[in-house]
Amino acid sequence: MAVSMYIGTRNKDLTATASEAILKGICPDGGLYIPNEIPKMDCSKEALLDMDYQELAYQVLKLYLDFTEEELRSCIASAYDEKFDTKEIVPLVKKGDVWYLELFHGKTLAFKDMALSILPYLMKTAAKKQGLDKKIVILTATSGDTGKAALEGFADVEGIEIMVFFPEHGVSPVQKLQMTTQEGKNVFVAGIEGNFDDAQSAVKTIFTDKAFAAELEEKGYCFSSANSINIGRLVPQIVYYYWAYIQAVKQGGIAWGDALDFTVPTGNFGDILAGWYAAQMGLPVGKLVCASNDNKVLYDFFRTGVYDRNRAFHVTVSPSMDILISSNLERLLCHMAGQAATQTQMQALKEQGTYTIDITEKRIVGEFATEAETFTAIQEVYRKTGYVMDTHTAVAYAAYQKYQKETNTQTPMVIVSTASPYKFTKDVMTALDSSCAEQDAFQLMKALERVSGVKIPNVVAGLAKKTILHKDVCKKENIQAFVRAHLQ
Ligand SMILES: *Cc1c(COP(=O)(O)O)cnc(C)c1O
């Protein structure tokens, strides 16, 4: 049975169809939309084993969206095509004792492409279904990867404007270049003086500012979000957990029905939450190891039940995980404890920066890796297997090693690999060879090509020659003014 309705995490009476939820992005009270009931997968093992990525995506998405078969298949065909540099879309590769689920074969070399290649099509279809007569303004806060993936997905899409805010001093040089060189008539990009949490809070405030919404509505605009607070981001991510499981069976690594564990490098809790949804749908997921970097607010939470953002913010070599307010955790809380408790906890988070709960969900295990452990993981995996991981994947690998030591588990493990090492060449190459620290981004790419044997992807090879088109830097308190100024 497909999802009949989406409801708010802070108020279950705030209901929406899937199309409405995708267009709104966030509930009017600042809560997030969740399915009122998580659907069960209704395909047989034989059917699943026979599917390509596109067909599997259809079988999963149809359970969550109020789209016709024709609409949905058209969105999927437009999203998962030659933009990806491999026909299988998401390779599952075994190196040493573990599998790596390579989610970085899309246009921007990070897992965000998995959802952001399809979100523009979902949004356009939803707008058509709703008879929306306004221009959609996508406001996006990014820790580095969402921004570029959203820009690629939405650039020059008719009826949509896309605005991206990234932490001016908190992204890698390649990430920054990818965003500031973005072409397109409808794109606005600005650095902000602040970190990701500042950007995300400012954007969330704009979403819930009724007066500002009314002012823009008069000018013919409405807001939506490309962040993982939008269910249109979350749902396409469920697909690759099924895909990983099916490939592991096909490769003979597990028998159908056996448990499979996943370690997920986590920031805003969107990726891992999709894995949790897959488990609720009936996929035999064992444990989901939630891997954090030094910003280990989630590690502490899953160990103690105390969420506490009152702590120093660390800028790490895995910037896409430098987050202290993991938005999607709110969805898990609501599934565990209901709307009333979630409302109270989110209020406490806002006012005191902390809340405490009794964690009833035992499938998720918190682990974390320090910067030193992350570098060691890159070296060790390379030395043992010749495989070069990016820094985020390395956090996951180091977390997996700790988990393995603690539990002695025999369950096979998938490391969710969220970015290509070509996005983080400096830190990856410095881990492998400290003499690389002095080289520029493009010398580093050549060095990485030599050691990894993986060709420099076209999308980053060309960056050096591109013109920087976006130079704005704004203070976090001026984001609203920036938005207003650019929508005249
Ligand atoms: C966004 C991102 C993450 C974190 O994913 P969440 O869904 O925010 O938890 C991890 N690694 C990379 C490379 C990312 O871009």
Side-chain angles (χ1 to χ4, degrees), residues 258-292:
D258 288 355
L260 184 61
D261 290 345
F262 291 85
T263 302
V264 190
T266 297
N268 223 358
F269 207 72
D271 194 357
I272 193 168
L273 185 68
W276 185 82
Y277 276 125
Q280 304 311 112
M281 291 171 72
L283 189 71
V285 175
K287 294 289 185 190
L288 291 164
V289 179
C290 174
S292 300

Side-chain angles (χ1 to χ4, degrees), residues 25-42:
I26 190 168
C27 297
D29 66 349
L32 307 183
Y33 288 109
I34 54 170
N36 66 339
E37 202 175 331
I38 298 175
K40 296 279 181 239
M41 172 51 76
D42 56 9

Side-chain angles (χ1 to χ4, degrees), residues 321-367:
M321 300 159 64
D322 289 346
I323 293 175
L324 293 179
I325 305 174
S326 295
S327 294
N328 280 288
L329 188 63
E330 178 170 346
R331 288 189 160 109
L332 183 69
L333 292 181
C334 188
H335 285 295
M336 283 197 288
Q339 275 80 3
T342 306
Q343 159 72 36
T344 310
Q345 285 143 3
M346 291 303 110
Q347 195 66 28
L349 181 65
K350 193 168 173 200
E351 283 161 13
Q352 287 102 44
T354 178
Y355 61 86
T356 304
I357 73 153
D358 181 19
I359 299 176
T360 50
E361 172 55 76
K362 304 289 182 210
R363 192 189 299 280
I364 303 176
V365 182
E367 293 286 358

Side-chain angles (χ1 to χ4, degrees), residues 110-112 145 265-271 320-321 323 390 392 418-419:
F111 101 96
K112 304 294 195 295
D145 290 326
T266 297
N268 223 358
F269 207 72
D271 194 357
S320 304
M321 300 159 64
I323 293 175
D390 99 285
H392 304 74
T418 48

Side-chain angles (χ1 to χ4, degrees), residues 207-449:
F207 276 128
T208 46
D209 182 334
K210 294 202 176 70
F212 193 42
E215 174 190 332
L216 286 182
E217 206 175 313
E218 219 153 81
K219 294 188 189 145
Y221 293 108
C222 66
F223 285 125
S224 190
S225 165
N227 282 100
S228 55
I229 53 176
N230 193 317
I231 58 125
R233 271 283 299 277
L234 202 53
V235 172
Q237 294 176 179
I238 300 169
V239 179
Y240 51 74
Y241 285 91
Y242 268 91
W243 179 254
Y245 191 90
I246 293 166
Q247 305 318 305
V249 170
K250 280 188 172 173
Q251 293 176 19
I254 54 169
W256 191 268
D258 288 355
L260 184 61
D261 290 345
F262 291 85
T263 302
V264 190
T266 297
N268 223 358
F269 207 72
D271 194 357
I272 193 168
L273 185 68
W276 185 82
Y277 276 125
Q280 304 311 112
M281 291 171 72
L283 189 71
V285 175
K287 294 289 185 190
L288 291 164
V289 179
C290 174
S292 300
N293 62 24
D294 276 330
N295 297 295
K296 60 185 184 58
V297 74
L298 288 169
Y299 166 82
D300 293 335
F301 174 72
F302 283 107
R303 297 276 158 154
T304 65
V306 180
Y307 194 98
D308 188 359
R309 61 152 305 192
N310 301 313
R311 59 178 76 205
F313 179 93
H314 299 282
V315 174
T316 73
V317 295
S318 45
S320 304
M321 300 159 64
D322 289 346
I323 293 175
L324 293 179
I325 305 174
S326 295
S327 294
N328 280 288
L329 188 63
E330 178 170 346
R331 288 189 160 109
L332 183 69
L333 292 181
C334 188
H335 285 295
M336 283 197 288
Q339 275 80 3
T342 306
Q343 159 72 36
T344 310
Q345 285 143 3
M346 291 303 110
Q347 195 66 28
L349 181 65
K350 193 168 173 200
E351 283 161 13
Q352 287 102 44
T354 178
Y355 61 86
T356 304
I357 73 153
D358 181 19
I359 299 176
T360 50
E361 172 55 76
K362 304 289 182 210
R363 192 189 299 280
I364 303 176
V365 182
E367 293 286 358
F368 78 100
T370 63
E371 296 289 272
E373 287 164 343
T374 305
F375 279 112
T376 305
I378 294 174
Q379 290 157 2
E380 207 180 290
V381 167
Y382 179 65
R383 187 164 42 76
K384 286 192 184 148
T385 70
Y387 188 65
V388 182
M389 301 182 288
D390 99 285
T391 45
H392 304 74
T393 310
V395 168
Y397 186 85
Y400 146 73
Q401 284 180 307
K402 288 183 173 173
Y403 172 70
Q404 174 64 36
K405 248 202 197 115
E406 270 171 30
T407 59
N408 263 318
T409 175
Q410 300 294 311
T411 310
M413 179 62 80
V414 174
I415 306 287
V416 175
S417 179
T418 48
S420 156
Y422 279 103
K423 274 195 115 157
F424 303 96
T425 35
K426 186 166 205 99
D427 293 313
V428 169
M429 283 313 299
T430 310
L432 295 178
D433 174 357
S434 57
S435 73
C436 285
E438 302 307 314
Q439 298 182 2
D440 73 32
F442 295 92
Q443 291 173 313
L444 287 165
M445 284 184 202
K446 292 223 170 66
L448 178 55
E449 186 170 48

Side-chain angles (χ1 to χ4, degrees), residues 142-148 164-180 190-192 194-196 313 315-320 322 392 423-424 427:
T142 183
S143 55
D145 290 326
T146 291
K148 179 59 182 179
V164 168
F165 300 96
F166 68 89
E168 175 70 15
H169 305 292
V171 299
S172 85
V174 171
Q175 285 178 315
K176 189 166 179 175
L177 265 181
Q178 280 185 312
M179 290 186 277
T180 54
I192 66 150
N195 61 36
F196 172 71
F313 179 93
V315 174
T316 73
V317 295
S318 45
S320 304
D322 289 346
H392 304 74
K423 274 195 115 157
F424 303 96
D427 293 313

